[in-house]
Amino acid sequence: MSAALPRGFSLIELMATLAILGLLAVTAFPIADLTAKRLKEQELRYQLRQVRDAIDAYKRASDEGRVAKKAGETGYPPALEALAAGVEDAKSPQKAKIYFLRRIPTDPFADPGLQGAASWGKRSYASAPGEPKPGEDVYDVYSMSPLKGINGIPYRDW
């Protein structure tokens, strides 16, 4: 009869395997972080485009006379909420509402407690481009995040 050979891994084999796995994990974490940041940036671009397109559609409808405006008003929405709440179509005999967004999207880089319109910085038509300030209308929106994008440009300037 022959003696049974010991089965299993030696301590050196286990240590080498753990070292290799640790090295792979250390190199994978930065790539995973970069991928997650890139996805959030894509979402920010999409949300900004969606809100800005809705603001432009509201302005076009106002210029066409479909949204009632008082003398001296710019024709931009008074608040972001008006884009989702809808406005009465002044040219419709049935007084139908015009909706520009289904809901106000949330800035992906905003504080977790902020949702919808509260997550965005708002710039009125009367404010300077370099110093956006809220006012009587919403001309543009921007991210209030202090972070910079992968491209080095602050999210606030996107």
Side-chain angles (χ1 to χ4, degrees), residues 12-138:
I12 292 181
E13 290 171 329
L14 288 173
M15 294 302 285
T17 303
L18 286 176
I20 291 170
L21 287 174
L23 183 64
L24 289 174
V26 166
T27 57
F29 280 129
I31 294 171
D33 285 343
L34 181 64
T35 302
K37 189 171 184 178
R38 186 171 287 137
L39 288 173
K40 282 181 86 172
E41 286 186 0
Q42 286 176 338
E43 187 179 350
L44 176 63
R45 274 190 204 97
Y46 175 73
Q47 305 293 22
L48 282 170
R49 187 176 312 119
Q50 189 178 21
V51 173
R52 287 173 174 163
D53 286 348
I55 291 171
D56 291 343
Y58 186 101
K59 174 67 170 148
R60 269 192 308 278
S62 177
D63 290 346
E64 293 168 359
R66 296 181 67 197
V67 175
K69 68 177 179 179
K70 297 175 188 166
E73 287 185 342
T74 60
Y76 288 100
L80 283 180
E81 290 83 356
L83 300 173
V87 292
E88 191 176 291
D89 187 348
K91 289 189 173 183
S92 170
Q94 295 87 9
K95 302 296 181 194
K97 278 192 163 188
I98 306 170
Y99 297 94
F100 301 96
L101 285 173
R102 289 186 178 166
R103 64 173 182 80
I104 307 294
T106 300
D107 178 357
F109 289 99
D111 293 331
L114 299 175
Q115 295 291 318
S119 67
W120 297 103
K122 294 144 195 97
R123 175 180 168 225
S124 77
Y125 185 74
S127 70
E131 296 179 31
K133 294 179 183 164
E136 295 184 13
D137 58 11
V138 180

